Structure formats: structure tokens, C-alpha cells
């Protein structure tokens, strides 16, 4: 008999050396959660993955619906400690993703807990999920998505726009939202279809989309924009707002996008390697703090953030 025949699991199966946040298909997630080991505290370790999941979910549950002024969790740990797996699997579990077997990712994750107090994880998860409600999970590695010199709030805003079905061009997405508020978005889609013989959803992220948006916007508002290029010249890449004002408007837009496109849902944003992206850049840190503050000030705020980093933030972070 061979050694591998004595083991309950296939030791020849591929185990990824690191977690990649862009890999979110059910097959990959099934493999990742299937190999995930949930540890617990012991004589050598004061805390384990089990305790940290319970701690984080309890903190979220206690604040949901009561005090959401700081709707964010900073998940810290040294390189290779598993913080990315911790955040990715939990974040996507809120999004109610189903694995190829038909099982929910959240159920598969909870089942991986075979620690002495495993029942705590399932109990607090159920309580927190009931309060959180239906969820859209936006999961990404900020270093992989950020443009040169871009601040955190801009990256977060763009990734949310894309996940919610808007253009990845900030100005275009903002005016898509404006058309929805005015009840003219369906008319925009119709005119785009008639003129370009294509669907806007297929073209909205391409480099030519701002020009095409400008032309259709001109058709909708010929008096305000008499020439096809008027919207492009006056509104695209011409948003000279002060940073705080821009963040406040972004937070408000995100809330409106959720209420219009996904009513009744919450948004959980999971961002990997935030501390590496921020580094010693004070502007980026202040920008992130301002963004969290602004979403926390929204009435009925539907947004929550998980961010990971190697640096610890002290009392305010949930550290793994």
C-alpha cells in the first residue's frame, strides 16, 4: 500500500502558494476553501484563525444597525500569515457565492472549522449575516488595480462602479447614474443601440466610450449640449474638485448606485495589501481615512470595508 492511499485527501492536488484576489471563480474558491485550515489558540499561540473570525464577526454584528461610524476592519499580519485568505474567503462568503457542488462558500468555510469551539463560528456568522443582509462583495488587490499616483478612494470607487455594472470611466459612470436618477437611462441605451448598432454594456469600458457617451448625451440634451463633443469637453477629465469634496461625492454616488441598481443590498469591499500600497505616503493614508469617515457618515450607510496590511493600526484594527 502506498502512503497516499492511507490519507483521506489527495496529496497530489495543486495547492496555490499564495492567494490571488483576482481569482474568484467557483472552481478556484472550492479548491482554496477545501485546503483552508482554521486553527485555534493553544499553549503556544494566544489566538488562532477561529478566534479571529469570531472576534471580527462579533464586532461587526454589534455595530450593524447601531453605530456604523467606522464601517471598516483593518486585518493585519506579517507576510505569509494568511491574512489574505482570511479576508478573501470571509468577504466572498458574505456575497453568497455557490461552489460547483451547489454548496454556499460560507457553509464550506464554516465546515472547515474543526476546532474545539467550532460552534461559535457558525453561531456568530449566522447572527452577523442576518444583520448584514443581501450582499455584493467587491474583492481586489489594490496594488494590481491602482493607476500611477492614484489615491485609495479613487481606486475603490472605480472598482465598485465596475462591480455594480457602471463604466470604469469615472465621469461616464457618474453621468450614467445621473441618467438613472432622471429616468432617462433606458432612453440612452435605446439611442445608443440605434446609432451604434451595439449594446452599451459591451462598449462602456472601452477607450472610445467617453466619445460615444458624449454623442448620445448630445442627442438627449441638444439644447444644453448642441455639439456631439460638448459633454466630453466640459465634463470628461474636467473634475477639479477638492479632495474632500470629491470623496464625499464618491461616497454619496456609491450609495445611490446601490439603491438604484441593487436596492436592499449591502456592499462589502475587501482590499488586499493596503498597507503596502500606502507605504509611507501620508496623502494616501489620510485619503483612506477620509473615505472611511465619509461612508460612515452616510445615512443608512450600506458599505463596509475589509482591508489587509502588514502594519498594525492598534486598537482600531482587527488583527489576524
Amino acid at each position: 500500500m502506498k502512503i497516499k492511499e492511507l490519507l483521506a485527501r489527495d496529496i497530489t492536488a495543486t495547492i496555490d502558494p499564495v492567494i490571488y484576489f483576482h481569482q474568484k471563480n467557483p472552481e478556484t474558491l472550492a479548491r482554496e476553501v477545501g485546503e483552508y485550515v482554521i486553527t485555534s489558540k493553544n499553549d503556544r499561540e494566544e489566538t488562532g484563525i477561529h478566534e479571529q473570525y469570531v472576534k471580527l464577526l462579533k464586532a461587526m454584528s454589534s455595530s450593524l444597525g447601531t453605530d456604523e461610524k467606522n464601517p471598516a476592519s483593518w486585518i493585519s499580519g506579517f507576510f505569509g500569515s494568511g491574512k489574505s485568505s482570511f479576508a478573501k474567503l470571509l468577504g466572498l462568503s458574505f456575497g453568497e457565492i455557490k461552489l460547483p457542488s451547489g454548496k454556499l462558500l460560507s457553509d464550506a468555510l464554516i465546515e472547515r472549522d474543526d476546532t474545539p469551539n467550532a460552534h461559535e463560528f457558525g453561531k456568530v456568522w449566522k447572527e452577523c449575516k442576518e444583520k448584514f443582509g443581501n450582499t455584493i462583495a467587491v474583492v481586489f488587490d489594490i496594488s494590481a488595480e491602482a493607476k500611477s499616483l492614484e489615491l485609495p478612494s479613487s481606486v475603490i470607487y472605480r472598482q465598485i462602479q465596475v462591480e455594480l455594472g457602471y463604466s470604469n470611466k469615472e465621469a461616464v459612470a457618474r453621468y450614467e447614474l445621473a441618467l438613472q436618477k432622471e429616468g432617462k437611462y433606458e432612453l440612452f441605451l435605446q439611442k445608443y443601440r440605434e446609432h451604434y448598432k451595439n449594446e452599451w454594456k459591451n462598449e462602456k469600458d472601452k477607450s472610445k466610450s467617453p466619445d460615444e457617451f458624449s454623442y448620445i448625451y448630445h442627442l438627449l440634451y441638444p439644447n444644453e449640449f448642441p455639439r456631439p463633443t460638448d459633454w466630453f469637453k466640459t465634463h470628461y477629465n474636467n473634475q477639479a474638485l477638492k479632495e474632500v469634496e470629491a470623496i464625499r461625492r464618491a461616497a454619496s454616488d456609491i450609495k445611490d448606485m446601490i439603491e438604484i441598481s441593487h436596492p436592499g443590498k449591502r456592499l462589502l469591499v475587501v482590499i488586499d495589501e493596503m498597507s503596502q500600497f500606502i507605504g509611507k505616503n501620508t496623502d494616501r493614508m489620510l485619503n483612506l481615512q477620509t473615505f472611511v469617515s465619509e461612508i460612515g457618515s452616510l445615512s443608512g450607510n450600506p458599505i463596509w470595508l475589509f482591508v489587509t496590511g502588514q502594519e498594525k493600526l492598534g486598537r482600531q484594527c482587527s488583527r489576524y
Side-chain angles (χ1 to χ4, degrees), residues 250-263:
S252 178
D253 282 354
I254 292 169
K255 182 186 177 185
D256 289 343
M257 288 175 177
I258 297 170
E259 290 178 347
I260 292 173
S261 300
H262 302 275

Side-chain angles (χ1 to χ4, degrees), residues 60-69 131:
M60 289 179 64
S61 184
S62 65
S63 66
L64 288 169
T66 55
D67 179 17
E68 297 185 52
K69 293 182 179 179
K131 289 185 177 181

Side-chain angles (χ1 to χ4, degrees), residues 62-310:
S62 65
S63 66
L64 288 169
T66 55
D67 179 17
E68 297 185 52
K69 293 182 179 179
N70 294 298
S73 300
W74 183 284
I75 301 169
S76 67
F78 54 83
F79 179 78
S81 64
K83 59 186 179 295
S84 295
S85 299
F86 180 97
K88 178 184 177 182
L89 291 175
L90 182 62
L92 289 174
S93 290
F94 272 95
E96 301 176 359
I97 291 177
K98 285 190 175 182
L99 303 178
S101 65
K103 180 182 294 184
L104 286 171
L105 174 61
S106 57
D107 291 339
L109 178 61
I110 292 170
E111 288 175 5
R112 293 299 299 152
D113 191 346
D114 57 2
T115 63
N117 297 312
H119 66 281
E120 294 178 338
F121 185 12
K123 181 180 178 181
V124 72
W125 162 261
K126 182 179 180 181
E127 178 185 343
C128 188
K129 186 64 176 72
E130 286 178 352
K131 289 185 177 181
F132 212 81
N134 293 330
T135 310
I136 299 171
V138 180
V139 179
F140 64 96
D141 181 336
I142 192 165
S143 295
E145 301 297 341
K147 300 175 183 178
S148 177
L149 304 179
E150 196 169 23
L151 293 170
S153 63
S154 297
V155 189
I156 297 169
Y157 185 25
R158 184 174 64 255
Q159 294 303 119
I160 290 173
Q161 287 175 332
V162 173
E163 187 67 33
L164 296 182
Y166 295 83
S167 172
N168 62 7
K169 311 294 188 293
E170 183 175 335
V172 175
R174 179 162 283 127
Y175 275 81
E176 285 182 285
L177 176 61
L179 288 171
Q180 288 179 324
K181 289 181 176 180
E182 294 167 10
K184 291 189 175 183
Y185 189 61
E186 291 301 320
L187 181 59
F188 167 83
L189 296 178
Q190 176 188 330
K191 288 188 174 294
Y192 183 90
R193 189 182 304 115
E194 291 172 353
H195 185 78
Y196 290 106
K197 311 303 179 185
N198 205 338
E199 297 295 332
W200 170 246
K201 66 180 181 180
N202 300 328
E203 307 297 318
K204 61 185 174 62
D205 294 331
K206 296 183 179 179
S207 58
K208 63 181 181 179
S209 66
D211 297 284
E212 295 180 348
F213 184 88
S214 184
Y215 184 84
I216 303 302
Y217 209 76
H218 145 74
L219 297 180
L220 293 175
Y221 299 96
N223 293 330
E224 297 90 333
F225 301 92
R227 291 178 294 274
T229 58
D230 282 349
W231 177 89
F232 182 90
K233 290 179 178 179
T234 57
H235 290 83
Y236 191 73
N237 289 335
N238 185 29
Q239 303 177 65
L241 296 176
K242 292 182 179 179
E243 184 180 340
V244 174
E245 183 182 348
I247 294 173
R248 184 173 296 122
R249 189 167 75 171
S252 178
D253 282 354
I254 292 169
K255 182 186 177 185
D256 289 343
M257 288 175 177
I258 297 170
E259 290 178 347
I260 292 173
S261 300
H262 302 275
K265 290 193 175 184
R266 275 183 177 266
L267 189 67
L268 177 59
V269 185
V270 186
I271 310 168
D272 198 27
E273 296 298 349
M274 180 62 80
S275 67
Q276 182 178 349
F277 177 71
I278 291 175
K280 296 182 179 181
N281 190 316
T282 304
D283 290 340
R284 286 180 173 177
M285 174 55 78
L286 292 175
N287 177 270
L288 178 62
Q289 291 175 339
T290 303
F291 182 74
V292 172
S293 177
E294 286 299 328
I295 63 175
S297 67
L298 292 172
S299 174
N301 170 44
I303 310 161
W304 195 286
L305 270 70
F306 287 168
V307 299
T308 74
Q310 296 182 34

